[in-house]
C-alpha cells in the first residue's frame, strides 16, 4: 500500500516529465530523439524540420523492396499508384512523427518495444485512403500478423484468397482500424477541428497541437481522479 501511495504522490507532483509532445517511440528504425532532417525524401519531406526518421529511412519508405520491414505491398497483384501513395504516407507518419506521445504504448515484440494505439485519424484521411484503394486487392484484414514469411517477404497465408478491397474492408472505418491492429481509430473530426491527426500535411506540422489537446485532456482527467485515490489510499493505511 505504501508503494501505491508513493506512486499516486509522484503522479500528483508531475513526475511524468517525459515530453510526450516531442518524442520518438522505441521501435526498429526510429531515432532516439527527434530533430531536423533536411534531406527527407518525397512523401516524408513534411517532417524535415523535426523528425524521428533519418533520411535513409525516408527513402526506403518509398521502395517496394524496402529493407525496413521486407513488406510486400503487391501481395495480391500490383498495388495501384494511388493506393500505394497512402501507405507511403502512413509509413512516413509512423516513422517520422515526433508528436505521437499520447498514444505510445509498451509492447513485447522482437522488433520494437513500443507501438502506437488508437491514434485518432482525421475523417478525410481515412476516407480518401479507402477511396483510392477500393479497386485494389488484398487477402487479409490485419496486416500486422498472420502472413507467410517463409520466403523472407510477406505472402498471403495458405487458405486465404485475394479479394477486392471493399470486400475485405467494407468501410473506411474498418480499414483504418483493422489494418494495423488498432494503431488508428476512425473519427468524424475534420482536419480543421484540431482533434484529429493528419497522416500527411503541407507547411507547419498541425499534429503537435492535436497531441497537446489530447495530452492535456488526459492529464486533467488524471488530476481530477487523484484526490479520491489519495483519500482511499490514506484511509486504507489508517485502518
Amino acid at each position: 500500500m505504501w508503494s501505491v501511495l508513493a506512486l499516486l504522490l509522484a503522479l500528483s507532483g508531475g513526475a511524468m516529465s517525459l515530453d510526450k509532445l516531442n518524442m520518438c517511440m522505441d521501435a526498429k528504425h526510429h531515432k532516439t530523439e527527434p530533430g531536423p532532417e533536411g534531406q527527407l525524401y518525397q512523401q516524408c519531406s513534411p517532417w524535415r524540420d523535426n523528425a524521428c526518421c533519418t533520411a535513409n529511412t525516408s527513402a526506403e519508405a518509398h521502395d517496394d523492396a524496402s529493407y525496413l520491414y521486407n513488406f510486400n505491398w503487391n501481395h495480391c497483384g500490383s498495388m495501384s499508384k494511388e493506393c500505394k501513395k497512402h501507405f507511403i504516407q502512413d509509413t512516413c507518419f509512423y516513422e517520422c512523427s515526433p508528436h505521437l506521445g499520447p498514444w505510445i504504448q509498451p509492447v513485447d515484440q522482437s522488433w520494437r518495444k513500443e507501438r502506437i494505439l488508437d491514434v485518432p485519424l482525421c475523417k478525410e484521411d481515412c476516407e480518401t485512403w479507402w477511396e483510392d484503394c477500393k479497386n485494389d486487392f488484398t487477402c487479409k484484414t490485419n496486416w500486422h500478423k498472420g502472413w507467410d514469411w517463409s520466403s523472407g517477404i510477406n505472402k498471403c497465408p495458405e487458405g486465404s484468397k485475394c479479394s477486392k478491397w471493399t470486400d475485405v474492408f467494407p468501410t473506411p472505418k474498418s480499414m483504418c482500424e483493422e489494418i494495423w491492429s488498432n494503431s488508428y481509430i476512425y473519427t468524424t473530426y475534420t482536419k480543421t477541428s484540431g482533434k484529429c491527426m493528419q497522416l500527411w500535411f503541407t507547411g507547419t506540422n498541425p499534429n503537435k497541437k492535436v497531441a497537446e489537446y489530447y495530452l492535456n485532456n488526459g492529464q486533467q482527467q488524471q488530476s481530477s481522479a487523484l484526490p479520491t485515490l489519495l483519500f482511499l489510499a490514506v484511509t486504507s493505511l489508517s485502518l
Side-chain angles (χ1 to χ4, degrees):
M1 182 57 70
W2 283 108
S3 60
V4 173
L5 181 59
L7 176 60
L8 291 170
L9 289 170
L11 290 174
S12 65
M16 296 180 68
S17 58
L18 183 64
D19 185 1
K20 291 191 174 184
L21 295 178
N22 192 49
M23 64 178 291
C24 302
M25 74 181 86
D26 188 351
K28 189 172 183 180
H29 300 292
H30 289 71
K31 292 158 51 176
T32 304
E33 295 180 354
E37 289 287 341
Q39 300 301 313
L40 292 188
Y41 189 67
Q42 291 187 7
Q43 304 274 26
C44 295
S45 61
W47 286 271
R48 61 184 175 273
D49 291 338
N50 192 32
C52 286
C53 61
T54 64
N56 191 51
T57 295
S58 74
E60 288 291 332
H62 294 72
D63 192 347
D64 283 348
S66 171
Y67 79 89
L68 293 180
Y69 302 101
N70 291 328
F71 196 88
N72 176 27
W73 304 117
N74 305 314
H75 52 269
C76 279
S78 181
M79 180 180 280
S80 68
K81 181 179 179 181
E82 293 78 12
C83 183
K84 190 174 296 181
K85 174 188 70 176
H86 295 281
F87 282 97
I88 294 172
Q89 291 175 355
D90 163 58
T91 301
C92 291
F93 177 84
Y94 172 79
E95 299 289 347
C96 302
S97 180
H99 306 314
L100 294 172
W103 303 281
I104 291 176
Q105 299 288 331
V107 65
D108 184 16
Q109 295 178 326
S110 60
W111 53 285
R112 60 181 181 178
K113 294 182 179 179
E114 292 178 327
R115 62 162 294 185
I116 50 175
L117 183 67
D118 292 340
V119 176
L121 288 191
C122 293
K123 174 184 173 75
E124 301 98 322
D125 281 341
C126 276
E127 294 185 350
T128 303
W129 187 354
W130 182 84
E131 185 71 25
D132 286 345
C133 293
K134 69 179 183 181
N135 293 318
D136 284 82
F137 290 80
T138 186
C139 57
K140 285 178 49 55
T141 56
N142 189 332
W143 287 18
H144 259 157
K145 58 186 179 181
W147 297 99
D148 175 1
W149 288 95
S150 59
S151 65
I153 62 172
N154 60 301
K155 292 183 178 180
C156 293
E158 185 177 355
S160 65
K161 67 174 184 177
C162 291
S163 300
K164 191 173 180 180
W165 199 269
T166 50
D167 292 333
V168 179
F169 301 114
T171 64
K173 174 181 170 66
S174 64
M175 183 200 72
C176 278
E177 296 186 354
E178 294 175 18
I179 199 164
W180 298 129
S181 305
N182 300 110
S183 292
Y184 303 131
I185 57 172
Y186 173 87
T187 76
T188 56
Y189 295 128
T190 64
K191 292 182 178 182
T192 58
S193 69
K195 296 181 180 180
C196 60
M197 299 291 276
Q198 298 182 34
L199 277 182
W200 201 77
F201 54 89
T202 56
T204 303
N205 191 334
N207 290 328
K208 183 175 182 179
K209 289 184 178 180
V210 178
E212 187 173 6
Y213 169 80
Y214 282 96
L215 187 61
N216 286 341
N217 278 1
Q219 287 178 340
Q220 287 171 3
Q221 292 172 5
Q222 182 186 76
S223 297
S224 65
L226 278 172
T228 301
L229 293 172
L230 284 168
F231 173 77
L232 292 174
V234 171
T235 301
S236 298
L237 285 173
S238 64
L239 293 177

